[in-house]
Amino acid sequence: MGTAIAFYILAALILTGGVLVITAKSAVHSVVWLVGTIIAIAALYVVQHAEFLAVIQVLVYAGGIVVLYLFVVMLVNLKRPAEAIVHPQRRERTGLLLGGALLAQFAAVAFYAFNSPQVGTAATYSARGNVEAVARALYVEYLVPFEVASVLLLVAMVGAIVLARRDA
Amino acid sequence: MIDMVVIPVFKMLVVITAVLSAVAYMVLLERKVQAWVQVRLGPMRVGPHGVLQPIADVLKLITKEDVRPASADRFLFTLAPILVVVPALIVFAVVPFGTSTTMFGKEISLYITDLDIGLLYIVSVASIGLYGLILGGWASNSKYPLLSSLRASAQIVSYEVAVTMTLVSLIVTAGSLSLVEIVKAQEAHGVWYVFIQPVAFVIFVIGALAETNRAPFDLPEAEQELVGGFHTEYSGMRFALFFLAEYTNMIVVSAVGVTMFLGGWLAPFSSVSWLAWLGLVPGWVWFSLKTFLLLSLFLWIRATLPRYRYDQLMRLGWKVLIPLALVNLAVSAVLKVLL
Amino acid sequence: MTITPGHWLALSAALFTIGLIGVLVRRNLIIIFMAIELMLNAGNIALVTFSNLHQQVSGQVFALFVIAVAAAEAAVGLGIVLALYRNKETVNIDEITVMRW
């Protein structure tokens, strides 16, 4: 019961936030709604017993990545509206249609998925808590992907510096 | 019902009241300390030696006109002060003020909750407070607040890395992310972590000064260059919220520092037999006393040191503190494995 | 009122669709990037749901990797946005239709 209430409230928040992200006129408002959506998703992870992921979501996503977006939005100081010019070959209706088609497809899949077994509640998967379970998986089972991810981040860092340099 | 709702709500009320009144008197204390350092008297008019000054300040702020610039972004201008205050206050949910006490025949723990991931919770919630500063500066639609908020965000993001790194090396030493467990680990070790991790403590204090935008790193509020900082356009209660958040954040970092490095609620000199009577004093008294001492250090530093230049601040953060914190982390991990 | 994995997946699908529509309809490059973040988050919700369904922590670990990839994507993508803004004074993708300038 408690899970259901939490789920419906958070789902409403997430979907409203998502819609506001893509409909907001100003990019700064978009960023603010994105932060709200991300925090609501973090709360959703807590409902799903993924506490560590929830905290990382807030720390890395809301506290790191989205701050970067906000920085860029503020640095990109346009003299005219960002979306003033529309390319003559742009088909916005097709975009909406494609989105609708995708949603219909998802709905069909979800219709079957609704009959699948219920999510278990003892979801820490280990007597010693979620953090330790995640740590064991991350550093033992998935050590190589973890190292690859760190290399990816390093490459992205170098790439960002090269791209953002003024005299490049 | 009583255990699930009444007691937690009561605890939250007590903590919020205590923090808010502590903030009010921090402001007075800061003015007094500044005045004493400069051989002045400070506020003297309201009450004996100005002890009622905070009440007068609050009344003044409440009754002031609430001005909103015509060109400001109305929604974000209102949202920003709220976004600064809320994260600062909810951090206290995991700060342990003591072990437990018996009240009305019930055992009550002196913390609102003890999360497995308490430390990560604090770091992540603190990172949200940044949005208030950036948005407040941007929404004012005025150049000094914008410059100030860009400074503040760059500064906080930079120093967050070093501070988080020191906290990680402490987690390695203590072997837990729960603040209660960390204090208990210090009790078991028989020594406060400031003596095991002195480098981490120094980095933490410097980083804490920078993250709370305090002197000598108060560049976002440098009056001589930026008028007043990101809250230049704010007045009345909205300004008061920024002010409240700044001082609450000081109390937060001091409380976290005390918990992590100075043994939280533990009494000092527990191994010295003729000072064992110090353990009779309740834990929350020790906690408050240590937090007060750390806060006084903040005030002392403000009254003593001149402000850093922006490039010096960034050089200190990226070229000194972060490498040092990384080395400290590596050394503590190696020592943890070897010992 | 029981919440089945289907509910979680439906939420994930709806959020993914919102992100997709954002990418297809908006012309502001920065907002398109944010819509991509929404889609990545929708993927994460699905991963965590499957992690719960199978009582295995692997799904959460993959969600962590997705966050790392999102960080890399944001850094490089926003670097491109800045470079573009410096050269062409625009972030509108309808104005960026040639491969060279």
Side-chain angles (χ1 to χ4, degrees):
Chain A
M1 187 64 197
T3 314
I5 296 170
F7 173 80
Y8 283 114
I9 292 174
L10 288 173
L13 282 176
I14 290 169
L15 294 181
T16 321
V19 169
L20 285 168
V21 169
I22 63 163
T23 52
K25 279 272 182 306
S26 125
V28 176
H29 285 209
S30 263
V31 174
V32 173
W33 293 122
L34 185 63
V35 176
T37 312
I38 281 167
I39 291 172
I41 292 174
L44 202 69
Y45 292 158
V46 175
V47 176
Q48 285 179 310
H49 304 282
E51 292 91 359
F52 181 71
L53 190 60
V55 173
I56 292 301
Q57 168 99 354
V58 177
L59 182 60
V60 177
Y61 242 119
I65 299 176
V66 186
V67 174
L68 205 60
Y69 279 95
L70 198 51
F71 252 68
V72 171
V73 170
M74 283 157 68
L75 280 176
V76 175
N77 188 14
L78 296 168
K79 290 179 188 70
R80 59 206 157 89
E83 307 188 54
I85 295 173
V86 186
H87 196 272
Q89 285 181 340
R90 173 167 275 276
R91 303 272 179 274
E92 284 197 339
R93 290 228 183 81
T94 321
L96 284 173
L97 210 67
L98 276 174
L102 184 73
L103 191 63
Q105 215 170 21
F106 278 142
V109 175
F111 181 73
Y112 288 102
F114 270 109
N115 304 319
S116 52
Q118 202 188 336
V119 175
T121 41
T124 44
Y125 326 127
S126 118
R128 293 193 286 184
N130 178 253
V131 182
E132 229 177 301
V134 172
R136 204 159 288 281
L138 192 61
Y139 294 122
V140 179
E141 228 176 307
Y142 296 99
L143 182 63
V144 176
F146 179 76
E147 296 295 336
V148 173
S150 66
V151 174
L152 172 76
L153 285 173
L154 181 66
V155 172
M157 194 161 81
V158 174
I161 292 170
V162 170
L163 281 170
R165 254 174 39 161
R166 246 170 234 283
D167 50 359
Chain B
M1 183 68 192
I2 284 185
D3 280 332
M4 286 295 288
V5 179
V6 179
I7 293 179
V9 168
F10 178 70
K11 277 188 205 167
M12 289 175 210
L13 287 177
V14 169
V15 168
I16 288 180
T17 319
V19 169
L20 293 186
S21 36
V23 165
Y25 274 89
M26 268 298 293
V27 179
L28 175 66
L29 186 71
E30 170 153 37
R31 292 174 68 180
K32 279 286 191 189
V33 168
Q34 288 261 68
W36 291 330
V37 170
Q38 296 159 2
V39 206
R40 291 185 285 118
L41 287 174
M44 289 294 277
R45 299 280 174 166
V46 193
H49 290 271
V51 289
L52 298 178
Q53 183 69 35
I55 299 168
D57 284 346
V58 170
L59 281 177
K60 185 192 95 173
L61 283 168
I62 288 175
T63 50
K64 274 218 165 180
E65 187 193 353
D66 185 20
V67 184
R68 186 171 57 78
S71 59
D73 185 314
R74 174 185 287 238
F75 169 64
L76 294 180
F77 192 78
T78 313
L79 187 69
I82 303 170
L83 269 184
V84 185
V85 168
V86 172
L89 283 178
I90 61 177
V91 166
F92 283 101
V94 294
V95 174
F97 300 94
T99 39
S100 60
T101 182
T102 315
M103 219 182 268
F104 309 116
K106 246 184 189 319
E107 173 117 340
I108 296 174
S109 51
L110 285 177
Y111 41 84
I112 294 174
T113 177
D114 175 26
L115 289 182
D116 278 350
I117 44 168
L119 201 59
L120 279 176
Y121 168 85
I122 289 180
V123 177
S124 63
V125 168
S127 68
I128 296 296
L130 183 59
Y131 282 102
L133 303 192
I134 309 182
L135 292 175
W138 186 84
S140 307
N141 206 356
S142 161
K143 61 174 167 269
Y144 292 122
L146 184 63
L147 282 172
S148 159
S149 67
L150 283 175
R151 275 188 184 185
S153 44
Q155 172 177 334
I156 292 173
V157 167
S158 309
Y159 278 78
E160 205 173 64
V161 183
V163 168
T164 312
M165 218 78 90
T166 65
L167 296 182
V168 171
S169 54
L170 229 83
I171 296 168
V172 170
T173 312
S176 174
L177 285 169
S178 147
L179 293 183
V180 177
E181 291 301 319
I182 288 169
V183 176
K184 284 185 178 155
Q186 296 184 49
E187 198 171 14
H189 272 121
V191 58
W192 295 352
Y193 283 157
V194 62
F195 300 113
I196 298 182
Q197 296 269 14
V199 181
F201 182 67
V202 172
I203 299 173
F204 178 84
V205 170
I206 297 174
L209 287 171
E211 284 214 56
T212 48
N213 297 331
R214 292 286 306 177
F217 306 119
D218 56 347
L219 287 145
E221 290 165 43
E223 285 86 356
Q224 295 84 349
E225 310 156 26
L226 290 174
V227 186
F230 43 83
H231 45 54
T232 302
E233 304 290 346
Y234 282 87
S235 58
M237 257 337 263
R238 295 188 215 220
F239 169 74
L241 286 181
F242 276 112
F243 212 65
L244 172 70
E246 186 182 333
Y247 282 85
T248 313
N249 275 327
M250 279 170 68
I251 297 178
V252 165
V253 293
S254 305
V256 173
V258 166
T259 314
M260 304 289 298
F261 292 99
L262 299 177
W265 66 78
L266 303 175
F269 307 115
S270 57
S271 53
V272 185
S273 56
W274 58 274
L275 282 171
W277 53 271
L278 286 173
L280 296 176
V281 181
W284 59 270
V285 175
W286 285 121
F287 183 87
S288 318
L289 198 66
K290 289 174 193 170
T291 312
F292 175 76
L293 285 178
L294 215 49
L295 284 170
S296 313
L297 180 70
F298 277 27
L299 302 185
W300 184 15
I301 288 174
R302 168 165 181 193
T304 311
L305 292 178
R307 184 179 301 134
Y308 264 58
R309 228 172 42 223
Y310 197 66
D311 58 321
Q312 295 170 329
L313 171 90
M314 282 298 163
R315 198 184 313 142
L316 178 68
W318 286 100
K319 294 191 178 166
V320 180
L321 292 187
I322 292 178
L324 210 57
L326 268 172
V327 170
N328 186 54
L329 174 59
V331 169
S332 26
V334 169
L335 286 182
K336 176 83 175 177
V337 174
L338 290 182
L339 298 180
Chain C
M1 284 244 289
T2 48
I3 300 297
T4 62
H7 285 81
W8 298 100
L9 293 179
L11 171 65
S12 160
L15 189 63
F16 190 89
T17 313
I18 293 173
L20 181 79
I21 293 175
V23 170
L24 291 176
V25 172
R26 292 303 296 253
R27 293 185 296 281
N28 186 336
L29 195 47
I30 302 170
I31 292 180
I32 288 176
F33 270 121
M34 283 187 247
I36 293 175
E37 299 291 343
L38 285 183
M39 287 155 76
L40 288 170
N41 270 296
N44 271 357
I45 294 176
L47 282 172
V48 174
T49 308
F50 288 129
S51 155
N52 257 356
L53 181 64
H54 294 284
Q55 298 286 296
Q56 273 190 356
V57 88
S58 309
Q60 296 177 25
V61 175
F62 269 88
L64 284 176
F65 286 137
V66 172
I67 292 180
V69 170
E73 174 246 308
V76 176
L78 293 175
I80 293 173
V81 170
L82 278 185
L84 208 57
Y85 169 69
R86 225 172 264 142
N87 286 320
K88 294 205 68 169
E89 283 276 310
T90 180
V91 289
N92 183 349
I93 53 163
D94 274 11
E95 288 178 60
I96 312 158
T97 48
V98 289
M99 295 290 279
R100 63 193 174 87
W101 56 75

